[in-house]
């Protein structure tokens, strides 16, 4: 039995991870956690029988505790709970399916305790990649990408020599507003932005896909995962989401991973690497597909991507500001408090007013996150 724990078991990635557990039958789930979805967490406790479960607030923990009195499970709350879950003794792989920078501390704790990481929580790597990657090396921990593009790159690197990489071609669907211009986007609302053409995902990442900030976060994520300079990472819009990403080598050869858009493949690959397990589901039918098309990203309309390149080339604490400003702006947009185009504007102004630190430690990263949130709240 493979032993795992999941940060964020009730979300899009978390529930798909549990579907794999259900299908494969040789994974034991020792710990699960959620922000506030007590109802689903209770169901998951009854079905998967973890030893530990964690919710964010103490009040929710109390409610959950009374609901699962008949179960042999320890219930915890808050950051302490997430960290305890991340370092559970028998856990081999921690699936980081939580959304946002809240994942930083539990991920670091897990690495320090020698846990391999199946990483979906890209915000953690974007803001603390300079801490996480060397730490993983020091503790001989593997970080398996769950993000579909990074899984595709990871698969395209199999058996190849890293030194022979010319560039990484990161594919993007272009999101729900591909082809639109700024004047078309002044009045779009959250419900419009939440309609992703190819993928069904959590709310925050769906908005990030509409702004192209997600692709920006993924460029930074790729830099850390594959130790590649951002200049060697090119974003290619491929609206059908069949090519999940590619690696171009020095002889011009390109290796790609293709498939229907289904996150279960990258999640399962991360859990079982280097083994490939059978996975049911739709296959690519090239005759039905008939064509694949390619475009340059429209970075004038969607400024998020260029801002990410700027953040990573400045480095230090700038990616933290990029990410934190985005997290706050997306939350405000989802609450209907700001317009769609203001998301990128707020990121830009947060970056412009930030005095960069060279190598921020975890407490500095978290302070900068809070300062960035406060600045944005004052601004709107
Ligand atoms: P989601 O919103 O569907 O789920 C987030 C999970 O985190 C939920 O279980 C939620 O309860 C939990 N959570 C939130 N706040 C918490 C807190 N304070 N304490 C404990 N748990 C908390 O998000 P998602 O779409 O599953 O995305 C998760 C991560 O994976 C994100 O970083 C995202 O960028 C990345 N990712 C997602 C997809 C996808 O297809 N959904 C693809 C690639 C990468
Ligand atoms: Mg992705």
């Amino acid at each position: 039995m493979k032993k795992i724990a999941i940060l964020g078991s009730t979300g899009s990635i978390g529930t798909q991870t549990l579907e794999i557990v259900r299908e494969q039958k040789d994974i034991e789930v020792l710990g699960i956690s959620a922000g506030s979805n007590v109802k689903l967490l209770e169901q998951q406790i009854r079905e998967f029988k973890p030893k530990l479960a964690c919710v964010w607030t103490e009040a929710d923990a109390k409610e959950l505790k009374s609901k699962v009195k008949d179960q042999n499970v320890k219930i915890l709350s808050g950051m302490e709970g997430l960290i305890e879950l991340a370092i559970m003794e028998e856990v081999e792989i921690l699936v980081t399916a939580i959304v946002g920078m809240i994942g930083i501390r539990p991920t670091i704790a897990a690495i320090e305790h020698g846990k391999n990481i199946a990483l979906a929580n890209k915000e953690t790597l974007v803001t603390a990649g300079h801490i996480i990657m060397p730490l993983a090396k020091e503790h001989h921990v593997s970080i398996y990408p769950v993000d579909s593009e990074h899984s595709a790159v990871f698969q395209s690197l199999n058996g190849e020599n890293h030194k022979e990489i010319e560039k990484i071609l990161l594919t993007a669907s272009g999101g729900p507003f591909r082809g639109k211009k700024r004047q078309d986007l002044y009045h779009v609302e959250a419900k419009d932005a939440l309609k992703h053409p190819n993928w069904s995902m959590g709310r925050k990442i769906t908005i990030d896909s509409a702004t192209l900030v997600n692709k920006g976060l993924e460029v930074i994520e790729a830099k850390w995962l594959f130790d590649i300079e951002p200049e060697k990472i090119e974003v290619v819009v491929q609206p059908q989401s069949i090519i999940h990403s590619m690696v171009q080598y020095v002889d011009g050869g390109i290796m790609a991973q293709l498939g229907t858009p289904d996150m279960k493949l990258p999640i399962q690959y991360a859990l079982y690497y280097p083994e490939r397990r059978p996975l049911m589901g739709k296959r690519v039918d090239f005759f039905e597909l008939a064509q694949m098309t390619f475009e340059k990203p429209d970075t004038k309309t969607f400024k998020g991507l260029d801002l990410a390149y700027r953040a990573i080339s400045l480095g230090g604490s700038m990616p933290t500001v990029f990410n934190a400003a985005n997290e706050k702006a997306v939350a405000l947009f989802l609450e209907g408090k700001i317009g769609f185009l203001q998301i990128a504007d707020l990121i830009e102004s947060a970056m412009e007013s930030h005095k960069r630190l060279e190598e921020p430690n975890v407490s500095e990263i978290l302070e900068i996150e809070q300062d960035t949130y406060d600045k944005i709240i004052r601004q709107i």
Side-chain angles (χ1 to χ4, degrees):
M1 292 293 262
K2 208 177 259 296
K3 294 179 167 59
I4 70 165
I6 309 171
L7 292 176
S9 61
T10 58
S12 163
I13 296 291
T15 52
Q16 293 182 83
T17 305
L18 289 172
E19 277 175 43
I20 292 166
V21 171
R22 218 177 262 139
E23 286 156 17
Q24 294 294 335
K25 301 185 174 37
D26 62 353
I27 299 176
E28 192 178 344
V29 183
L30 296 176
I32 56 179
S33 68
S36 58
N37 193 343
V38 171
K39 197 168 159 219
L40 183 52
L41 208 54
E42 179 192 349
Q43 287 172 19
Q44 292 179 344
I45 291 171
R46 295 190 182 282
E47 180 177 355
F48 296 97
K49 312 270 180 227
K51 293 185 176 164
L52 200 157
C54 181
V55 273
W56 188 243
T57 68
E58 268 180 50
D60 281 344
K62 213 168 148 194
E63 187 191 333
L64 182 63
K65 223 179 249 177
S66 78
K67 284 195 153 123
V68 295
K69 276 201 299 278
D70 57 324
Q71 300 288 307
N72 186 15
V73 57
K74 183 170 165 188
I75 307 291
L76 295 173
S77 65
M79 184 52 74
E80 273 168 46
L82 292 180
I83 291 177
E84 193 164 327
L85 179 138
I87 65 175
M88 285 178 79
E89 200 174 322
E90 295 161 79
V91 166
E92 297 157 70
I93 302 183
L94 178 71
V95 181
T96 63
I98 197 166
V99 56
M101 293 172 67
I102 192 165
I104 295 177
R105 291 181 54 206
T107 304
I108 288 180
I111 295 171
E112 284 170 344
H113 285 75
K115 315 292 182 196
N116 290 327
I117 309 287
L119 184 137
N121 177 223
K122 62 189 87 180
E123 295 89 351
T124 281
L125 211 50
V126 165
T127 53
H130 60 289
I131 299 170
I132 288 182
M133 295 316 290
L135 196 67
K137 201 169 175 194
E138 183 189 331
H139 291 274
H140 308 289
V141 155
S142 300
I143 305 213
Y144 302 118
V146 167
D147 213 345
S148 56
E149 295 76 3
H150 304 75
S151 177
V153 170
F154 186 57
Q155 294 176 58
S156 303
L157 288 168
N158 275 335
E160 302 286 349
N161 184 343
H162 190 278
K163 288 201 186 78
E164 294 162 2
I165 300 174
E166 194 164 77
K167 63 176 166 181
I168 285 179
L169 297 153
L170 217 55
T171 52
S173 70
F177 301 142
R178 184 175 60 86
K180 299 236 183 299
K181 296 291 165 202
R182 283 183 78 82
Q183 67 269 18
D184 308 320
L185 296 172
Y186 283 110
H187 301 296
V188 299
E189 292 173 24
K191 63 171 175 19
D192 310 309
L194 285 170
K195 285 186 202 128
H196 196 281
N198 305 336
W199 298 95
S200 151
M201 310 178 283
R203 287 159 64 85
K204 191 249 174 193
I205 184 177
T206 306
I207 303 299
D208 289 350
S209 301
T211 56
L212 278 199
V213 165
N214 182 52
K215 213 45 60 180
L217 294 170
E218 291 184 352
V219 168
I220 305 177
E221 184 184 11
K223 176 217 146 71
W224 290 118
L225 281 173
F226 306 115
D227 190 20
I228 288 278
E229 287 319 303
E231 308 80 72
K232 292 187 172 177
I233 306 171
E234 187 177 355
V235 173
V236 179
V237 177
Q238 197 272 289
Q240 298 79 16
S241 296
I242 297 295
I243 303 179
H244 297 308
S245 279
M246 311 176 252
V247 180
Q248 180 174 314
Y249 291 93
V250 288
D251 59 357
I254 296 174
M255 303 299 284
Q257 186 253 331
L258 284 69
T260 49
D262 180 355
M263 285 308 295
K264 276 163 71 181
L265 189 156
I267 299 170
Q268 184 168 290
Y269 195 76
L271 292 175
Y272 286 101
Y273 176 83
E275 193 186 342
R276 277 188 196 273
R277 286 283 177 101
L279 178 63
M280 292 303 130
K282 205 165 176 272
R283 303 301 194 233
V284 175
D285 179 336
F286 284 102
F287 305 112
E288 190 188 311
L289 181 66
Q291 56 177 349
M292 282 194 270
T293 55
F294 301 92
E295 295 168 18
K296 268 202 159 122
D298 174 2
T299 52
K300 288 223 162 54
T301 307
F302 304 98
K303 295 192 294 182
L305 181 57
D306 277 356
L307 288 170
Y309 273 104
R310 202 188 304 166
I312 191 62
S313 74
L314 291 166
S317 56
M318 203 51 93
T320 293
V321 175
F322 171 81
N323 181 71
N326 180 59
E327 284 189 21
K328 193 54 165 185
V330 169
L332 292 167
F333 174 67
L334 285 170
E335 289 166 23
K337 292 189 176 144
I338 63 167
F340 180 77
L341 293 172
Q342 268 178 289
I343 299 174
D345 293 344
L346 285 169
I347 300 173
E348 189 168 24
S349 66
M351 283 171 57
E352 273 165 8
S353 63
H354 176 63
K355 289 202 177 49
R356 202 179 64 89
L357 300 187
E358 193 60 45
E359 285 246 334
N361 60 31
V362 174
S363 356
E364 285 166 335
I365 289 171
L366 298 176
E367 266 167 45
I368 292 168
E369 175 192 28
Q370 194 55 51
D371 286 351
T372 308
Y373 287 179
D374 295 345
K375 238 191 254 172
I376 288 183
I377 291 296
R378 281 198 302 273
Q379 210 174 327
I380 64 150

